[in-house]
Amino acid sequence: MNTHLPPQERERLYSLIREKLDLSDAECPEGIKDTTMVTELPGVDSMKLLRLLGAVELGFLVNLGFEAILRVQTVQDVERLICESREQYASRP
């Protein structure tokens, strides 16, 4: 199973995270990386995380499910969930 997005989609994910969590470059000077802990980003709370995951579902045309909020710790977790959802629905007849 592929758990990584192509570079262009990964950048789109990072941009979506910055937008939905209202992050400026000053708040996240080192930038967003795979290992970035989403829950430790400035100003993140459960509602912002829920809105982010909803935006990811719409932006990447995937269904992450309600349990996704419990499974997301890092940016790489979000990426993995996107890939898992795509693979799950691609394997359906």
Side-chain angles (χ1 to χ4, degrees):
M1 173 192 304
N2 181 17
T3 60
H4 297 287
L5 295 172
Q8 186 176 7
E9 284 193 312
R10 185 175 296 132
E11 276 306 313
R12 187 163 52 115
L13 174 61
Y14 294 172
S15 177
L16 189 63
I17 291 169
R18 283 190 296 274
E19 176 189 332
K20 293 301 172 186
L21 300 181
D22 298 321
L23 296 175
S24 67
D25 290 337
E27 291 174 312
C28 197
E30 66 280 348
I32 295 175
K33 302 175 186 131
D34 285 350
T35 57
T36 300
M37 298 293 288
V38 176
T39 55
E40 294 179 6
L41 288 169
V44 172
D45 59 26
S46 59
M47 288 306 295
K48 282 187 178 181
L49 184 55
L50 190 58
R51 281 193 293 262
L52 169 63
L53 294 176
V56 167
E57 286 186 329
L58 291 172
F60 287 88
L61 302 175
V62 294
N63 182 7
L64 304 180
F66 290 111
E67 69 279 352
I69 198 163
L70 301 173
R71 296 176 61 194
V72 169
Q73 293 183 17
T74 66
V75 172
Q76 187 172 11
D77 292 335
V78 178
E79 186 174 350
R80 181 181 40 77
L81 288 171
I82 292 168
C83 294
E84 284 176 3
S85 178
R86 285 179 173 174
E87 191 165 300
Q88 176 184 6
Y89 288 101
S91 67
R92 288 187 174 179

